[in-house]
Amino acid sequence: MDFRLNEDQSALQAAARRYARERLLPLAAETERTGAPPARELVQEYGQMGFLGINVAARYGGLGLGNLEALLVIEEFAKCSAALAFPVFESCVGPVRAIERFANETLRQQVVPRVCSGELVVAVSMSEAQAGSALTDLTTRAEQRDGVLVLNGSKRWCSGGGHADGYVVYCRLSDEPGAKGIGAVYVDRHAKGLSFGAPEELMGFRGVPSSDLYFDNCALPLENLIVPAGGFRRLMEAFDLERCGNATMGLAQASGALEDVAQYIQERRQFGKPLADFQAVQLRLAEMHMKVEAARLLIWRAAVNAQHGLPDVLESSTAKCFANEIAREVCGHAVQLMGGYGYSRQFPMERRLRDAWGWGIAGGAIDIQKVNIAGAMLGRRFDQRR
Ligand SMILES: Cc1cc2nc3c(=O)[nH]c(=O)nc-3n(C[C@H](O)[C@H](O)[C@H](O)COP(=O)(O)OP(=O)(O)OC[C@H]3O[C@@H](n4cnc5c(N)ncnc54)[C@H](O)[C@@H]3O)c2cc1C
């Protein structure tokens, strides 16, 4: 077992870090101020630089590298801004991977290469007003009629809602109750019958537009079926990779906060000496470091154990849950260590704390992950309804 990155991985990480610091850091504050997502030209630049679809197969326009390589880039980008990292996240671990894995060849060719080049952004729409943690209560439904799929219902909290070019929509595709009736379809943003709610005002995630989606007899070609009824388990398996991406977005808030604060405490002086000279500050710094390192190792283990496939549910849930928790803690400590400057909107630290919080709700709340972890540990499924 070797915990070091190889030469190519180190070079990719360094290139991503350099690009993020030079190109993205100057845009981060403006993204936060306006709430506007990264410009299309910028996303296409990511594609030209080889930062999209890193772990997507080369035949679909990706780089064909492993999951670890993708996560290395996501962390470096997200240290500067989660919003500016979001297209990388979507292209490497997001819903497009379900299309690459499960859809028919026509849809794959239509969508995946264009996501890898930055031409398309694809979002996932699972949650509904009455189906959050209880996702299998979802009621949005697609029926086959006259050679098309007709979609009706509404979705909530879609990151990318109103902005993305296409949506992977979880829906009922048969009369079977619960998970058995659930599959997924692809909906183009211009599909007739699709409309969007008002942009959400979230605590963080500025620069990641979010809205409800409404489907009113929205007609889709049959080849837009990604997974038929009965494929919910497969969708969740693909989601194990998204969990590693979610964990990395959270980790990046913590590791970025730690880098910034380590510098700050050496510069800021109180009582005639740098903050770093106080032992209480040293202990806090060490605790932050331990948590960041442990989270990264859990994420990397889940990724490396499935470099070209889908991570294990126990490893990915453990990584997500731990990274979600420590991201909140570490960013909270960093805000505290920067005193008034940590709490000021003029500096990025408070943004990190707000963004860190969201990753512990998005992609499955922390406590739900813990139920998944216990279930996987014991080889059981804990039915929350009984
Ligand atoms: C920033 C952000 C981005 C998101 N992006 C997307 C997206 O792109 N696409 C999408 O489809 N959805 C998205 N979501 C929605 C997200 O998946 C849901 O918010 C999440 O699954 C929780 O559902 P809920 O909000 O309905 O909370 P609820 O299900 O009502 O749960 C609220 C709380 O109750 C507790 N709880 C609920 N059930 C249990 C249980 N069985 N055991 C123990 N505790 C429990 C948990 O503490 C939980 O946090 C996003 C959410 C956020 C905050």
Side-chain angles (χ1 to χ4, degrees):
M1 198 180 294
D2 185 348
F3 290 95
R4 286 165 304 180
L5 298 177
N6 66 30
E7 236 176 74
D8 290 345
Q9 290 163 340
S10 297
L12 177 64
Q13 185 187 45
R17 182 174 304 167
R18 206 167 37 247
Y19 177 79
R21 287 192 180 163
E22 286 169 10
R23 185 79 172 100
L24 304 185
L25 206 50
L27 303 174
E30 182 68 358
T31 301
E32 180 66 14
R33 194 182 63 75
T34 63
R40 287 305 164 108
E41 299 73 39
L42 182 63
V43 180
Q44 282 166 13
E45 187 178 297
Y46 293 177
Q48 284 153 14
M49 301 281 298
F51 291 135
L52 297 179
I54 295 157
N55 50 345
V56 170
R59 68 181 179 286
Y60 296 118
L63 263 64
L65 298 175
N67 292 332
L68 178 60
E69 283 80 357
L71 299 181
L72 292 175
V73 174
I74 292 173
E75 184 181 350
E76 291 308 322
F77 276 40
K79 272 187 203 168
C80 294
S81 158
L84 295 174
F86 209 75
V88 181
F89 169 89
E90 291 280 39
S91 73
C92 295
V93 298
V96 70
R97 305 309 307 274
I99 298 179
E100 181 197 359
R101 202 162 274 272
F102 307 128
N104 55 73
E105 195 57 24
T106 312
L107 190 63
R108 284 177 179 160
Q109 291 295 352
Q110 189 186 315
V111 176
V112 186
R114 294 167 74 201
V115 169
C116 293
S117 67
E119 200 187 324
L120 284 189
V121 173
V122 175
V124 65
S125 209
M126 312 154 80
S127 309
E128 298 182 0
Q130 302 308 328
S133 301
L135 185 58
T136 54
D137 282 354
L138 65 87
T139 58
T140 296
R141 189 179 180 85
E143 278 171 353
Q144 192 172 330
R145 272 189 241 147
D146 304 327
V148 288
L149 285 164
V150 181
L151 188 62
N152 279 290
S154 64
K155 291 285 173 184
R156 181 143 293 172
W157 306 129
C158 175
S159 298
H163 166 73
D165 305 284
Y167 299 86
V168 171
V169 177
Y170 285 37
C171 58
R172 303 218 150 265
L173 283 149
S174 82
D175 292 332
E176 293 241 61
K180 288 188 183 135
I182 296 174
V185 295
Y186 179 73
V187 184
D188 185 278
R189 67 160 296 142
H190 299 297
K192 203 158 165 268
L194 166 61
S195 58
F196 301 98
E200 297 289 347
E201 288 282 342
L202 303 177
M203 169 177 161
F205 274 52
R206 288 184 57 76
V208 182
S210 171
S211 78
D212 285 357
L213 270 59
Y214 304 110
F215 306 103
D216 180 10
N217 285 321
C218 181
L220 310 170
L222 291 183
E223 57 269 20
N224 281 26
L225 180 68
I226 301 170
V227 174
F232 186 70
R233 182 190 274 268
R234 285 199 287 155
L235 286 166
M236 285 295 109
E237 282 166 6
F239 206 71
D240 289 333
L241 180 59
E242 176 143 353
R243 284 200 188 103
C244 292
N246 171 310
T248 303
M249 293 289 259
L251 166 70
Q253 304 318 306
S255 58
L258 187 57
E259 281 179 17
D260 288 356
V261 94
Q263 195 168 340
Y264 181 83
I265 58 170
Q266 295 177 76
E267 289 163 5
R268 171 75 175 167
R269 298 173 72 86
Q270 286 293 281
F271 302 99
K273 55 184 186 177
L275 294 181
D277 285 12
F278 297 107
Q279 197 176 38
V281 172
Q282 295 156 16
L283 301 188
R284 208 188 270 254
L285 190 71
E287 282 167 18
M288 292 162 76
H289 172 75
M290 292 181 317
K291 287 173 180 164
V292 164
E293 291 291 307
R296 191 181 286 117
L297 285 175
L298 284 174
I299 296 169
W300 285 11
R301 180 185 66 173
V304 171
N305 282 348
Q307 254 300 57
H308 298 283
L310 297 174
D312 171 78
V313 62
L314 179 56
E315 291 185 351
S316 64
S317 295
T318 305
K320 168 167 158 50
C321 198
F322 189 75
N324 288 164
E325 287 193 334
I326 69 96
R328 293 173 177 184
E329 288 172 36
V330 169
C331 292
H333 285 310
V335 166
Q336 191 68 22
L337 281 174
M338 285 185 65
Y341 301 98
Y343 201 60
S344 165
R345 287 212 159 185
Q346 283 193 348
F347 299 92
M349 206 51 94
E350 58 83 37
R351 181 190 84 211
R352 292 188 193 285
L353 178 58
R354 287 185 286 106
D355 283 350
W357 203 274
W359 292 104
I361 303 172
I366 287 173
D367 287 351
I368 297 294
Q369 297 303 314
K370 288 185 178 166
V371 174
N372 289 344
I373 291 169
M377 283 172 67
L378 303 181
R380 290 175 57 188
R381 201 186 138 260
F382 294 108
D383 188 338
Q384 302 299 298
R385 289 164 214 281
R386 287 188 216 164

XYZ file of all heavy atoms in Angstrom, residues 75-156:
612
model
N -10.820 18.961 -5.819
C -10.402 19.591 -4.553
C -9.671 20.911 -4.816
O -9.940 21.913 -4.165
C -9.522 18.647 -3.707
C -9.190 19.303 -2.359
C -8.304 18.497 -1.421
O -8.054 17.306 -1.680
O -7.869 19.089 -0.410
N -8.764 20.894 -5.778
C -7.984 22.123 -6.028
C -8.889 23.258 -6.512
O -8.737 24.395 -6.090
C -6.865 21.850 -7.036
C -5.753 20.965 -6.502
C -5.174 21.446 -5.173
O -5.045 22.666 -4.983
O -4.861 20.576 -4.331
N -9.830 22.950 -7.402
C -10.757 23.988 -7.886
C -11.653 24.481 -6.741
O -11.871 25.682 -6.584
C -11.638 23.439 -9.024
C -11.023 23.491 -10.397
C -9.683 23.188 -10.597
C -11.782 23.823 -11.503
C -9.117 23.221 -11.870
C -11.233 23.869 -12.784
C -9.898 23.562 -12.964
N -12.186 23.519 -5.967
C -13.170 23.882 -4.934
C -12.539 24.610 -3.755
O -13.231 25.295 -3.017
C -13.918 22.641 -4.463
N -11.217 24.474 -3.580
C -10.543 25.276 -2.555
C -10.701 26.762 -2.866
O -10.748 27.592 -1.975
C -9.048 24.949 -2.544
C -8.643 23.793 -1.671
C -7.125 23.780 -1.690
C -6.553 22.454 -1.370
N -5.110 22.405 -1.669
N -10.709 27.086 -4.152
C -10.865 28.486 -4.564
C -12.327 28.887 -4.561
O -12.683 29.974 -4.123
C -10.290 28.701 -5.964
S -8.521 28.480 -6.010
N -13.194 28.006 -5.058
C -14.623 28.322 -5.116
C -15.393 27.046 -5.476
O -15.138 26.442 -6.523
C -14.882 29.390 -6.190
O -16.225 29.359 -6.615
N -16.337 26.693 -4.610
C -17.155 25.501 -4.899
C -17.959 25.732 -6.177
O -18.141 24.811 -6.982
C -18.079 25.201 -3.721
N -18.433 26.956 -6.362
C -19.270 27.242 -7.547
C -18.462 27.086 -8.827
O -18.947 26.531 -9.816
C -19.848 28.648 -7.456
N -17.208 27.543 -8.802
C -16.382 27.449 -10.009
C -15.918 26.007 -10.241
O -15.568 25.635 -11.358
C -15.189 28.407 -9.920
C -15.576 29.899 -9.897
C -14.357 30.786 -9.661
C -16.286 30.322 -11.176
N -15.929 25.210 -9.170
C -15.568 23.784 -9.317
C -16.759 22.957 -9.771
O -16.589 21.807 -10.189
C -15.059 23.237 -7.980
N -17.954 23.514 -9.677
C -19.165 22.711 -9.893
C -19.222 22.031 -11.266
O -19.596 20.860 -11.356
C -20.418 23.561 -9.637
C -21.577 22.737 -9.155
C -21.617 22.252 -7.858
C -22.616 22.412 -10.004
C -22.662 21.458 -7.422
C -23.668 21.619 -9.584
C -23.700 21.149 -8.286
N -18.842 22.702 -12.358
C -18.879 22.013 -13.655
C -17.926 20.813 -13.711
O -18.211 19.824 -14.393
C -18.444 23.101 -14.656
C -18.747 24.391 -13.971
C -18.516 24.128 -12.511
N -16.808 20.893 -13.003
C -15.870 19.761 -12.968
C -16.521 18.608 -12.194
O -16.510 17.446 -12.632
C -14.525 20.165 -12.307
C -13.559 18.991 -12.312
C -13.924 21.372 -13.017
N -17.118 18.961 -11.062
C -17.854 17.980 -10.251
C -18.922 17.298 -11.104
O -19.002 16.064 -11.151
C -18.474 18.743 -9.067
C -19.489 17.986 -8.257
C -19.107 17.212 -7.171
C -20.843 18.074 -8.555
C -20.051 16.526 -6.413
C -21.790 17.390 -7.805
C -21.393 16.616 -6.739
N -19.748 18.104 -11.791
C -20.853 17.540 -12.591
C -20.331 16.609 -13.687
O -20.920 15.578 -13.977
C -21.690 18.666 -13.224
C -22.491 19.487 -12.226
C -23.778 18.829 -11.764
O -23.774 17.609 -11.557
O -24.780 19.536 -11.602
N -19.216 17.004 -14.319
C -18.736 16.227 -15.468
C -18.013 14.949 -15.055
O -17.923 14.015 -15.849
C -17.795 17.081 -16.332
O -16.551 17.252 -15.685
N -17.501 14.920 -13.824
C -16.704 13.749 -13.405
C -17.473 12.781 -12.520
O -17.227 11.565 -12.575
C -15.459 14.205 -12.637
S -14.289 15.137 -13.630
N -18.346 13.309 -11.669
C -19.034 12.418 -10.721
C -20.539 12.638 -10.736
O -21.267 12.002 -9.976
C -18.511 12.629 -9.258
C -17.047 12.301 -9.162
C -18.782 14.049 -8.770
N -21.018 13.550 -11.569
C -22.427 13.938 -11.562
C -23.299 13.023 -12.404
O -22.893 11.916 -12.792
N -24.499 13.483 -12.695
C -25.509 12.644 -13.359
C -25.103 12.170 -14.749
O -25.602 11.158 -15.227
C -26.727 13.562 -13.437
C -26.198 14.939 -13.272
C -25.005 14.829 -12.403
N -24.178 12.887 -15.382
C -23.743 12.465 -16.717
C -23.119 11.070 -16.667
O -23.148 10.321 -17.645
C -22.779 13.527 -17.316
C -21.446 13.523 -16.585
C -22.582 13.281 -18.794
N -22.603 10.700 -15.496
C -22.003 9.366 -15.367
C -23.079 8.278 -15.426
O -22.796 7.168 -15.847
C -21.200 9.242 -14.059
C -20.120 10.299 -13.870
C -19.190 10.426 -15.088
N -18.599 9.199 -15.527
C -17.481 8.679 -15.045
N -16.818 9.311 -14.110
N -17.001 7.548 -15.528
N -24.304 8.609 -14.967
C -25.406 7.636 -15.093
C -25.759 7.484 -16.573
O -26.066 6.377 -17.041
C -26.614 8.092 -14.288
N -25.686 8.574 -17.321
C -25.959 8.489 -18.773
C -24.885 7.637 -19.436
O -25.167 6.730 -20.218
C -26.014 9.901 -19.403
C -27.155 10.701 -18.780
C -26.145 9.821 -20.928
C -27.298 12.114 -19.293
N -23.626 7.925 -19.104
C -22.513 7.164 -19.699
C -22.650 5.670 -19.404
O -22.400 4.829 -20.260
C -21.176 7.680 -19.137
C -19.970 6.972 -19.709
C -18.707 7.189 -18.884
O -18.751 7.907 -17.874
O -17.677 6.606 -19.239
N -23.096 5.356 -18.227
C -23.121 3.960 -17.791
C -24.372 3.204 -18.245
O -24.291 2.053 -18.637
C -23.041 3.940 -16.254
C -22.545 2.680 -15.636
C -22.096 2.936 -14.226
N -20.723 3.382 -14.198
C -19.675 2.553 -14.133
N -19.867 1.260 -14.102
N -18.460 3.031 -14.104
N -25.542 3.884 -18.185
C -26.796 3.141 -18.337
C -27.596 3.478 -19.592
O -28.472 2.701 -19.974
C -27.714 3.379 -17.129
C -27.064 3.113 -15.800
C -27.093 4.062 -14.786
C -26.429 1.906 -15.553
C -26.501 3.815 -13.557
C -25.835 1.650 -14.335
C -25.868 2.611 -13.332
N -27.370 4.646 -20.186
C -28.251 5.053 -21.295
C -27.908 4.299 -22.568
O -26.871 3.627 -22.656
C -28.122 6.560 -21.522
N -28.780 4.425 -23.591
C -28.485 3.813 -24.885
C -27.392 4.635 -25.580
O -27.129 5.792 -25.221
C -29.755 3.751 -25.740
C -30.363 5.126 -25.877
O -29.828 5.963 -26.590
N -31.458 5.392 -25.172
N -26.796 4.043 -26.613
C -25.636 4.660 -27.260
C -25.984 6.030 -27.870
O -25.171 6.956 -27.840
C -25.081 3.694 -28.311
C -23.693 4.003 -28.816
C -22.622 4.080 -27.717
O -22.785 3.490 -26.638
O -21.609 4.782 -27.960
N -27.198 6.162 -28.402
C -27.585 7.434 -29.026
C -27.516 8.570 -28.001
O -26.936 9.625 -28.251
C -29.043 7.340 -29.566
O -29.147 6.148 -30.305
C -29.425 8.530 -30.396
N -28.126 8.322 -26.843
C -28.148 9.376 -25.816
C -26.743 9.630 -25.271
O -26.342 10.782 -25.063
C -29.108 8.975 -24.689
C -29.416 10.072 -23.675
C -30.133 11.244 -24.334
C -30.264 9.536 -22.527
N -26.004 8.568 -25.079
C -24.618 8.733 -24.613
C -23.849 9.665 -25.534
O -23.221 10.618 -25.087
C -23.893 7.391 -24.607
C -24.253 6.491 -23.495
C -23.507 5.187 -23.672
N -23.800 4.261 -22.606
C -23.617 2.967 -22.693
N -23.146 2.429 -23.791
N -23.903 2.186 -21.677
N -23.919 9.358 -26.836
C -23.141 10.141 -27.804
C -23.653 11.574 -27.907
O -22.893 12.500 -28.158
C -23.178 9.477 -29.190
C -22.413 8.170 -29.270
C -20.904 8.330 -29.057
O -20.393 9.446 -28.984
N -20.193 7.223 -28.933
N -24.948 11.725 -27.655
C -25.553 13.050 -27.762
C -25.134 13.952 -26.591
O -24.997 15.155 -26.748
C -27.075 12.837 -27.734
C -27.938 14.024 -28.034
C -29.405 13.609 -27.808
O -29.833 12.540 -28.238
N -30.165 14.430 -27.112
N -24.948 13.342 -25.419
C -24.752 14.163 -24.214
C -23.313 14.154 -23.685
O -22.730 15.219 -23.435
C -25.724 13.703 -23.087
C -25.476 14.479 -21.808
C -27.172 13.849 -23.543
N -22.742 12.954 -23.502
C -21.511 12.868 -22.697
C -20.337 13.647 -23.317
O -19.690 14.446 -22.621
C -21.142 11.395 -22.394
C -19.956 11.331 -21.439
C -22.330 10.650 -21.799
N -20.038 13.488 -24.619
C -18.891 14.235 -25.158
C -19.068 15.751 -25.047
O -18.099 16.486 -24.833
C -18.852 13.802 -26.638
C -19.589 12.496 -26.689
C -20.635 12.598 -25.635
N -20.324 16.203 -25.140
C -20.561 17.650 -25.060
C -20.392 18.167 -23.625
O -20.065 19.329 -23.424
C -21.942 17.992 -25.628
C -21.994 17.700 -27.153
C -23.399 17.723 -27.682
N -23.910 19.068 -27.781
C -25.220 19.370 -27.829
N -26.116 18.411 -27.789
N -25.599 20.610 -27.944
N -20.630 17.298 -22.652
C -20.353 17.697 -21.263
C -18.842 17.773 -21.061
O -18.322 18.696 -20.416
C -21.006 16.702 -20.261
C -20.509 16.949 -18.842
C -22.527 16.822 -20.323
N -18.123 16.828 -21.648
C -16.659 16.796 -21.480
C -15.983 17.969 -22.188
O -14.854 18.340 -21.839
C -16.088 15.475 -21.993
S -16.608 14.064 -21.001
N -16.637 18.546 -23.190
C -16.023 19.692 -23.872
C -16.492 21.020 -23.267
O -16.029 22.084 -23.653
C -16.363 19.666 -25.365
O -17.753 19.885 -25.525
N -17.442 20.949 -22.334
C -17.931 22.179 -21.705
C -19.071 22.832 -22.461
O -19.505 23.925 -22.124
N -19.571 22.112 -23.459
C -20.673 22.677 -24.249
C -22.014 22.531 -23.526
O -22.908 23.362 -23.683
C -20.723 21.905 -25.577
C -21.430 22.600 -26.697
C -21.548 21.653 -27.880
O -20.602 20.858 -28.124
O -22.590 21.682 -28.519
N -22.143 21.455 -22.762
C -23.392 21.183 -22.033
C -23.112 21.063 -20.544
O -22.084 20.531 -20.141
C -23.982 19.834 -22.445
C -24.712 19.633 -23.755
C -25.358 18.250 -23.745
C -25.764 20.691 -23.965
N -24.094 21.518 -19.760
C -24.064 21.271 -18.318
C -25.297 20.426 -17.999
O -26.402 20.756 -18.422
C -24.114 22.604 -17.530
C -24.258 22.346 -16.040
C -22.869 23.434 -17.809
N -25.094 19.318 -17.274
C -26.212 18.422 -16.944
C -26.366 18.342 -15.426
O -25.390 18.145 -14.701
C -25.983 17.015 -17.539
C -27.072 16.051 -17.094
C -25.954 17.082 -19.065
N -27.616 18.522 -14.964
C -27.904 18.496 -13.527
C -28.730 17.260 -13.192
O -29.270 16.600 -14.087
C -28.675 19.757 -13.148
N -28.846 16.985 -11.867
C -29.666 15.840 -11.446
C -30.859 16.343 -10.647
O -30.741 17.239 -9.823
C -28.858 14.813 -10.616
C -28.368 15.372 -9.286
C -29.661 13.552 -10.382
N -32.016 15.753 -10.918
C -33.234 16.168 -10.241
C -33.912 14.945 -9.659
O -34.603 14.203 -10.361
C -34.142 16.870 -11.256
O -34.927 17.813 -10.607
N -33.660 14.753 -8.368
C -34.211 13.596 -7.658
C -35.279 14.059 -6.670
O -36.388 13.552 -6.645
C -33.099 12.900 -6.852
C -31.823 12.643 -7.616
S -30.391 12.566 -6.520
C -30.535 10.926 -5.920
N -34.912 15.039 -5.842
C -35.749 15.435 -4.705
C -37.060 16.064 -5.144
O -37.133 16.721 -6.183
C -34.993 16.455 -3.841
O -33.719 15.980 -3.523
N -38.067 15.857 -4.308
C -39.362 16.518 -4.504
C -39.783 17.117 -3.167
O -39.192 16.807 -2.125
C -40.413 15.502 -4.979
C -40.048 14.889 -6.324
C -41.089 13.916 -6.844
O -42.123 13.696 -6.171
O -40.849 13.369 -7.949
N -40.845 17.926 -3.195
C -41.288 18.596 -1.967
C -41.546 17.582 -0.849
O -41.198 17.812 0.307
C -42.529 19.423 -2.262
N -42.142 16.449 -1.191
C -42.478 15.446 -0.158
C -41.545 14.242 -0.210
O -41.831 13.213 0.399
C -43.931 14.987 -0.340
C -44.950 16.112 -0.271
C -44.803 16.979 0.980
O -44.404 16.494 2.039
N -45.087 18.256 0.848
N -40.489 14.319 -0.989
C -39.568 13.185 -1.105
C -38.131 13.694 -1.076
O -37.553 14.022 -2.115
C -39.845 12.405 -2.387
N -37.604 13.828 0.145
C -36.204 14.258 0.318
C -35.403 13.041 0.754
O -34.978 12.234 -0.074
N -35.239 12.891 2.077
C -34.579 11.674 2.579
C -35.378 10.442 2.154
O -34.804 9.409 1.818
C -34.479 11.721 4.112
O -33.756 12.863 4.514
N -36.701 10.583 2.162
C -37.569 9.469 1.722
C -37.730 9.550 0.209
O -38.833 9.748 -0.316
C -38.918 9.574 2.428
N -36.621 9.389 -0.485
C -36.595 9.622 -1.939
C -37.556 8.706 -2.697
O -38.130 9.097 -3.715
C -35.156 9.428 -2.444
C -34.912 9.732 -3.915
C -35.286 11.170 -4.254
C -33.452 9.470 -4.281
N -37.749 7.498 -2.177
C -38.603 6.549 -2.918
C -40.085 6.909 -2.806
O -40.927 6.212 -3.380
C -38.348 5.094 -2.460
O -38.502 5.034 -1.048
C -36.961 4.630 -2.852
N -40.407 7.992 -2.111
C -41.787 8.508 -2.113
C -42.040 9.412 -3.326
O -43.127 9.975 -3.446
C -42.060 9.338 -0.845
C -42.313 8.451 0.362
O -42.389 7.219 0.183
O -42.430 8.987 1.482
N -41.051 9.576 -4.189
C -41.230 10.528 -5.295
C -42.426 10.122 -6.169
O -42.728 8.935 -6.333
C -39.948 10.661 -6.113
C -39.409 9.478 -6.905
C -40.031 9.412 -8.280
C -37.905 9.608 -7.052
N -43.091 11.139 -6.725
C -44.326 10.865 -7.490
C -44.254 11.326 -8.947
O -45.176 11.040 -9.719
C -45.543 11.559 -6.834
O -45.277 12.967 -6.765
C -45.825 11.021 -5.443
N -43.217 12.071 -9.321
C -43.084 12.473 -10.734
C -43.094 11.211 -11.594
O -42.440 10.223 -11.248
C -41.770 13.275 -10.923
O -41.881 14.475 -10.167
C -41.519 13.613 -12.382
N -43.853 11.298 -12.705
C -44.154 10.049 -13.420
C -43.998 10.215 -14.920
O -44.395 11.236 -15.478
C -45.615 9.723 -13.102
C -46.066 8.423 -13.548
C -47.521 8.199 -13.156
N -47.883 6.889 -13.637
C -47.645 5.774 -12.963
N -47.100 5.823 -11.783
N -47.952 4.604 -13.485
N -43.405 9.204 -15.570
C -43.330 9.211 -17.037
C -44.104 8.011 -17.572
O -43.946 6.895 -17.065
C -41.886 9.136 -17.494
N -44.948 8.268 -18.568
C -45.743 7.181 -19.176
C -45.473 7.149 -20.660
O -45.358 8.213 -21.294
C -47.232 7.460 -18.983
C -47.744 7.041 -17.632
C -49.170 7.535 -17.404
O -49.697 8.307 -18.234
O -49.735 7.139 -16.389
N -45.406 5.931 -21.197
C -45.211 5.817 -22.642
C -46.567 5.940 -23.340
O -47.496 5.191 -23.032
C -44.554 4.473 -22.971
C -44.074 4.433 -24.391
C -43.262 3.184 -24.674
O -42.611 2.645 -23.792
N -43.299 2.746 -25.914
N -46.678 6.953 -24.220
C -47.928 7.166 -24.969
C -47.584 7.563 -26.385
O -46.769 8.476 -26.582
C -48.709 8.350 -24.363
C -49.645 7.978 -23.245
C -50.510 9.201 -22.913
N -50.319 9.632 -21.542
C -50.371 10.884 -21.124
N -50.603 11.866 -21.975
N -50.188 11.171 -19.863
N -48.152 6.928 -27.352
C -47.973 7.285 -28.772
C -46.505 7.457 -29.152
O -46.119 8.448 -29.794
C -48.728 8.592 -29.111
C -50.206 8.493 -28.754
O -50.755 7.372 -28.875
O -50.776 9.506 -28.333
N -45.682 6.560 -28.707
C -44.277 6.560 -29.115
C -43.403 7.609 -28.439
O -42.274 7.848 -28.877
N -43.923 8.227 -27.373
C -43.082 9.152 -26.596
C -43.265 8.875 -25.104
O -44.219 8.195 -24.706
C -43.426 10.654 -26.871
C -42.980 11.100 -28.238
C -44.889 10.936 -26.640
N -42.350 9.429 -24.297
C -42.502 9.361 -22.845
C -43.102 10.690 -22.400
O -42.562 11.755 -22.742
C -41.139 9.182 -22.179
C -40.506 7.801 -22.269
C -39.018 7.881 -21.928
C -41.211 6.830 -21.321
N -44.183 10.618 -21.640
C -44.838 11.860 -21.205
C -44.617 12.015 -19.703
O -45.023 11.157 -18.908
C -46.343 11.832 -21.546
C -47.000 13.144 -21.117
C -46.532 11.602 -23.035
N -43.960 13.112 -19.336
C -43.514 13.309 -17.947
C -44.386 14.355 -17.258
O -44.609 15.447 -17.807
C -42.047 13.779 -17.992
C -41.269 13.893 -16.692
C -41.135 12.534 -15.995
C -39.866 14.462 -16.968
N -44.845 14.017 -16.041
C -45.645 14.963 -15.251
C -45.170 14.945 -13.804
O -44.857 13.873 -13.264
C -47.136 14.578 -15.294
C -47.798 15.073 -16.570
O -47.991 16.269 -16.763
N -48.114 14.134 -17.456
N -45.150 16.114 -13.175
C -44.772 16.195 -11.767
C -43.904 17.410 -11.517
O -43.785 18.294 -12.374
N -43.303 17.456 -10.321
C -42.416 18.599 -10.017
C -41.265 18.140 -9.135
O -41.376 17.145 -8.408
C -43.204 19.716 -9.347
O -43.696 19.276 -8.112
N -40.191 18.877 -9.225
C -38.952 18.546 -8.519
C -38.483 19.749 -7.724
O -38.791 20.894 -8.068
C -37.865 18.169 -9.541
C -38.138 16.854 -10.244
C -37.847 15.702 -9.316
C -38.245 14.366 -9.879
N -38.033 13.290 -8.917
N -37.697 19.496 -6.685
C -37.219 20.578 -5.809
C -35.709 20.518 -5.624
O -35.091 19.481 -5.772
C -37.932 20.445 -4.461
C -37.547 21.506 -3.469
C -38.694 21.952 -2.621
N -39.712 22.659 -3.398
C -40.898 23.022 -2.920
N -41.201 22.716 -1.690
N -41.753 23.673 -3.679
